[in-house]
Every structure is written in C-alpha cells, then in structure tokens.
C-alpha cells in the first residue's frame, strides 16, 4: 500500500529518502561504539521516526505498519552500511545532497498529509517540519547528544518550514497540489544548498540569565 | 474550539500557562547556544509536550491540532522572548510563581480530562501530573540534561500529584467538579510556594549498589 | 481486565515482569541522586514504557489505562524498592535472571499482540522487541545515558528478536500459538543466559568517518 495521493515516483523517492536517512543514523551510532543491534535500532528510528510521530499526532495508521517496505528499506540499509561503511572511507559531505532531498521530500509529504487530515495550516506546516527533522532529533537523543538541528548551523528546519509554508500558500491561492509540491521541494533544496554554500545561519540565542 | 468543560477563564489561563511554560524552554535552550529554530522547537515542545502525551495516551484528538491558538501562543512567545530576553536581564525567580500557576492549571485540567475519558483514578491522577511536568522533561531531554523534575529539589511533581488526588477525592465524595478543581489548584500552588519558601524536599535515593 | 488471549499464568507473570523491570529503573535513577518522585517516575516509565509505545503504534488502548493493576504493580515496586534497596546490599547480578524472564515475556506478548492487530510479520517482530527493550531505553534517556541496549554487550535485543521470529515462523508452519509462545520464550531465555555465561556479543561498528 502506498502513501495516499503520492504517485509512483514519490513512492520510490520516499523509500530512497528513508534509506539515506538511515545511513546518517548509522554513522552517528558508530561514533558511540554501538553494536549491530544498536546501529539497526538507531538507524531505523532515524529513518522512520519523523513520519511515525506525524502519524501518531494525526491518529492515522503508522505508515510502516501499513506498508512494511519502508521498514525493510530502513533495516536493510542499516545492515548493509554497518558492514560496508567499516571498509570504505565515505566523506560525510557525500550525504549532504541526498539528505537535502530527503528533508524536502519528507517535509512536503508530511505537510500534505497534515492538510488531508484536516490539521489547521500552521499545525500542518509544523507536522511537515517534524516529519523532516524528528528522525534526526531522535537519533541525537538516543546517542545522548544535543540534537544537531537545534544548535547553531546552516538553515535546515527553517528551510523546511519555508517550503512547507510555500506549499500551503500556493494551494490556498489555487495552484494545483502537484505543482505546489514541486515548488515547495525546490524551495527547500535550494535554500538548504544555498545555506551550505554561503554559510547562511540564523541568529543564536545569547541570554544573560 | 475549547477544551471540554473548561470555562472562558480557564481557557485564557491555559493560553497564559502555555506561554509561561514556553519561556522556561527558551531560557534553557539559550544556555545550549541553540539558534532561533532550536529555541522555537524546544520552547514549543516544553509548552505543548505534556498535553500532547496525555492526548496520545487517551487516544483523543491532540489539543493543539484541534485548536491552533495554543500553538500560536507557544510559538509567538518563544519568538518574542528570543529577541526580548537577550536584551533584558530577567531573574529566573521571576518565573517561579507563574510556573506554579501553570503547573496547577495543567495538572488539574489534565486530571479532569483523564476522568472524562474514563481513565481509572490512579491513572487519571498520573495523566494530570504528566500534563504538568512532561513538557519540562522533554525540554531537559532535548537539551541533553537529566530532567530537573527528577532530581533533588523542592516539591514539584509531588505537589501536583497531591492536588490531582484532592480533585479526585473531593469529586468522589460529591463535591462539584468546579469547586474540586479550585481546591486542587489551590493545594498545588500552596504546596509549591510553601516548598520553595521553606525548602521542603523529598528523600533522595542513596543505593549501595 | 486482562491482555487478550493470555491466560492467568501469563497475566501474573506479566505483573511480576513489570515489577522486576521497575526495579532496574530504580537502581539506575538512584545513581543520579534522584528523589522519591524522580525514582517513581523513572521506575514506572521503565516498567510500562515498552508496552505503551507498542499500544500507541498499534492505535490500541494503552494497557495500563485499561487495567490499572499494571500501574499499581509498577508504582508499588518502585516505592518499596526505594526504601528497601537503600538498606540492603543487593548485587545487580541478582536481577539478571528475572530480567531475562521479563524480556522473554514482554517480547512474546508484544509480538503476539502485534500479529493480532494485523501488523505485517517483520513489523510485529519489531513491536515485540520494542515491548521488551523500549522501557530500558526510556530509563537510560531519562537518566541522560546512552541506552545500554545499544552499546556493546551480551546478546539482548538480538535474543529477543530471534525469539519473536521463532514465534512467527512456528505459527506460520501451523504450530499452535501457545506452544509457539513457549518455544519463543525458551529461546530468548536460553540465548540470553548462554550469552551471559559465555560472553557472546555482536560485532561493534568501527567506522572510519
């Protein structure tokens, strides 16, 4: 079974995004000297965590319980990369572009599902952002780190949020949902790549308390 | 849309409690050098986390997806305090009394909702306590700290639990739910303020293992 | 009310497993100088966390909201052990065998419930493993540690997963669910005890990135 209203291309992109996200979990878990089971659990939680939280909040069936292929993609990727990444030297920067694609796809699909399940607009945009970033937050909490997405760095969650808002605004003014989705994804990918290329960041909090 | 059986005063108090709780998240996130997005996410999770967990456990619609104003109050407060708190020097003790009010309100509303959704009495009282304290636990986990509410300190969760039990007992002996709610809230606020004034604490665990 | 399709023996074993698991939470919370409320909350979360996550993912009523005795068993055990463990010197190894029993029981009951709620086979086996280990993960996250089950050590989650798969395979080839359940539990307990006796471990991830 597929995600509703997402065509075949998006379905395969979704599986690919799940796989890419799982690898970022594996790399992080490796730094904490986790064993095979720990790596599988952290990688799978990273890949599926965002969509799971979205589905629980919307009280809709959890996507990897309806369609087991997401789970198989996540677990197979973690097992493969557990054995492969030990042998090869993969520069982390290699994953930044697939990761931006995954962020864009997860965010737009999440926002769209939020709207379909009648979440109000601001809540729907946040559900989209959560679909995109909660997996990474879970990864960092399980690895006992401060979540990377919260600390100072190039635009990430903010790029996702702007893309989600673009999707909602374009649909509100009558643009078809397919075109709005592509525009939203392009905006997220573009902002993220620009932010990495030019080091664009948000202000940091410096409280005196 | 409003929380069921809570009158206008409680609704506005609820929005105010959400805002106050968000600020405690902002102050904590600030200490970890988070950027604007990190601060918004931690502040919002602190403000809405307790009620969200309660609603998921009871399998009832998540309150900020039904009524977006809670979400707007939490996010607007975090954004405002992000920019304001940097400029002003606000002593943390300033927030202790509003925080006690928020704890009392969240706990009593949470317990009442638990009872309405047919949770057994002990479970309902714990759902109330969770509504009051889980936001802060989430804040500390996201900031990679041991949750403040678990470590040695003045009565906090215990004050909330006694207030929740007072609400349940008073209703069981026939007191109207409105009067029972005010008594429960007064008990929580009173215990919390007394505990802070006189340094009342619970015993600490000192295992030999 | 009881868990469906679990007879009286399993029900009492379940309550016992909840109690044993709560104690591991108490011991961990004690090392962080938590007070009585912190210990109760961490102990209860450890005991009930796995089943709670399973029930939320399956969108079925949370087990300790349907049957309060699980909650009472968990809380009573934490309170008792808070006061007793301070006085006695209990070697942690004392808990390893009851803990293996609890892991086996939680995993098999969780897998069985997953199958009954029509989760696909791989997802059902993971729901079983989660029922067995998520409580401990929650305990370690709340105590601000890297979850013990992820780091290098004797087979634990992997033993649980093999037992869950045995249950599913045996049922698929026509073995009655009661016999399959006992075989699965025996496999988990056997693997866990063998792993502890002979120091059997899984490979550790050693990435070069």
């Amino acid at each position: 079974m597929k995600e509703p209203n997402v065509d075949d291309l998006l379905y395969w992109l979704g599986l690919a995004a799940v796989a890419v996200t799982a690898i970022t979990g594996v790399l992080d878990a490796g730094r904490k000297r986790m064993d095979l089971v720990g790596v599988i659990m952290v990688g799978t939680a990273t890949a599926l965590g965002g969509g799971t939280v979205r589905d629980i909040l919307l009280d809709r069936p959890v996507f990897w319980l309806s369609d087991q292929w997401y789970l198989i993609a996540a677990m197979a990727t973690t097992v493969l990369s557990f054995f492969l990444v030990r042998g090869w030297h993969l520069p982390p920067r290699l994953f930044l572009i697939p990761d931006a694609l995954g962020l864009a796809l997860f965010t737009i699909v999440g926002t769209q599902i939020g709207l379909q399940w009648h979440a109000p607009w601001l809540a729907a945009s946040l559900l989209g952002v959560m679909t995109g970033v909660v997996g990474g937050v879970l990864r960092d909490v399980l690895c006992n780190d401060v979540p990377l997405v919260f600390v100072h760095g190039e635009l990430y969650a903010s790029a996702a949020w702007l893309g989600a808002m673009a999707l909602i605004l374009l649909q509100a003014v009558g643009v078809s949902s397919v075109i709005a989705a592509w525009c939203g994804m392009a905006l997220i990918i573009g902002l993220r790549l620009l932010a990495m290329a030019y080091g664009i960041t948000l202000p940091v909090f410096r409280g005196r308390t």
Side-chain angles (χ1 to χ4, degrees), chain A residues 113-126:
Chain A
I113 290 176
L115 291 173
Q116 278 165 6
W117 286 71
H118 306 296
W121 62 271
L122 182 61
S125 74
L126 284 190

Side-chain angles (χ1 to χ4, degrees), chain A residues 42-59:
Chain A
V42 173
T44 307
T46 309
L48 307 179
T52 304
V53 169
R54 174 202 63 210
D55 291 344
I56 289 172
L57 288 172
L58 287 170
D59 201 16

Side-chain angles (χ1 to χ4, degrees), chain A residues 141-191:
Chain A
V141 167
L142 290 176
C143 290
N144 202 17
D145 293 321
V146 176
L148 209 60
V149 68
F150 294 166
V151 291
H152 192 53
E154 287 97 8
L155 304 185
Y156 193 89
S158 41
W161 188 68
L162 290 172
M165 291 304 296
L167 171 76
I168 293 169
L169 279 175
L170 286 174
Q171 289 191 18
V173 299
V175 177
S176 86
S177 68
V178 173
I179 293 173
W182 288 114
C183 291
M185 284 181 61
L187 183 62
I188 295 172
I189 295 168
L191 279 173

Side-chain angles (χ1 to χ4, degrees), chain A residues 47-98:
Chain A
L48 307 179
T52 304
V53 169
R54 174 202 63 210
D55 291 344
I56 289 172
L57 288 172
L58 287 170
D59 201 16
R60 80 193 269 279
V62 174
F63 71 105
W64 54 269
L65 284 174
S66 311
D67 179 355
Q68 192 166 229
W69 284 105
Y70 289 104
L71 187 56
I72 293 171
M75 291 183 72
T77 312
T78 52
V79 173
L80 270 176
S81 48
F82 180 83
F83 291 108
L84 289 181
V85 175
R86 293 205 288 183
W88 298 350
H89 180 74
L90 296 176
R93 289 198 72 83
L94 201 67
F95 296 101
L96 287 178
I97 289 173

